[in-house]
Amino acid sequence: MSNENHIERASAPTTKSGKGAPNEAGETNWQEHKARRKLAKKAEKKTVSRPVAAAISLVAVCASVAVASGFVGLVENGNQLPQALQLAQVNAQSDVTRSQVVLDTTDNETATIVWSRNLDTAAIIVEGLSKLESDTYRVWYASDDSYTPVGELTVTHDGSEVWATLSGDIAAAQSVMITIDSADAAEPGTDVVAEIEL
């Protein structure tokens, strides 16, 4: 049989690695597959990142609100950061004690004394007081017939919650009184807002 009609099949082009290069149709399919995978990965990242971004935003907003609330509370109480830290220290004691009286049940007005004998320190927290134009809310330790001025409450607007850390020896006191008096009063007058027994 003559070799004249025998034609060798041309070898397929190869890549540098020696693998057969894809034909035009295969190359198109591979590029489409690659594009689809890229889009799928991008969509997956968006799906994961959206909840994370939302959570981070929520935490940031909550932190901002908390900081703003704390700042407003300090400003309303005369911006007394040292007293705020002292109040926190009293609350952290193992022997912390609280006594509360209701000033007005209609408006939920209360006065609370918080103290620690370990620290020999006390603080008073009052909610619902009215702003005074001239006189001052004075706080006293009462023991028998003697009265010791131990602090003042500054009310910036009606109904606000105010507090003050108190000076003096609470261990010797029998009760804590809040009165409306002039700032230089030597003893409490007759306008008593609250008296809390200890």
Side-chain angles (χ1 to χ4, degrees), residues 18-41:
K19 292 182 180 178
N23 58 27
E24 190 176 336
E27 188 175 348
T28 304
N29 290 340
W30 178 77
Q31 286 175 344
E32 285 177 1
H33 175 70
K34 188 175 177 183
R36 280 197 301 271
R37 283 191 53 148
K38 194 172 181 181
L39 285 172
K41 281 187 180 180

Side-chain angles (χ1 to χ4, degrees), residues 46-167:
K46 279 186 180 178
T47 305
V48 172
S49 63
R50 279 179 185 165
V52 172
I56 291 171
S57 299
L58 182 61
V59 169
V61 168
C62 290
S64 300
V65 169
V67 169
S69 298
F71 178 75
V72 169
L74 287 175
V75 168
E76 286 183 350
N77 200 50
N79 200 16
Q80 297 166 329
L81 184 57
Q83 287 200 39
L85 295 174
Q86 198 170 2
L87 176 58
Q89 191 177 15
V90 171
N91 275 313
Q93 295 302 305
S94 59
D95 73 328
V96 64
T97 306
R98 294 175 180 82
S99 295
Q100 185 181 79
V101 294
V102 177
L103 308 180
D104 188 337
T105 54
T106 306
D107 297 326
N108 198 26
E109 296 176 6
T110 58
T112 307
I113 182 83
V114 182
W115 79 96
S116 163
R117 295 195 188 278
N118 288 343
L119 293 179
D120 196 21
T121 304
I124 191 160
I125 305 161
V126 185
E127 186 173 355
L129 291 181
S130 302
K131 182 180 177 180
L132 299 176
E133 295 303 324
S134 55
D135 289 333
T136 308
Y137 290 106
R138 303 286 304 279
V139 185
W140 313 80
Y141 285 160
S143 178
D144 295 328
D145 291 330
S146 65
Y147 302 94
T148 306
V150 291
E152 294 181 0
L153 295 169
T154 304
V155 179
T156 57
H157 61 270
D158 290 350
S160 61
E161 180 184 281
V162 294
W163 54 267
T165 52
L166 306 176
S167 60

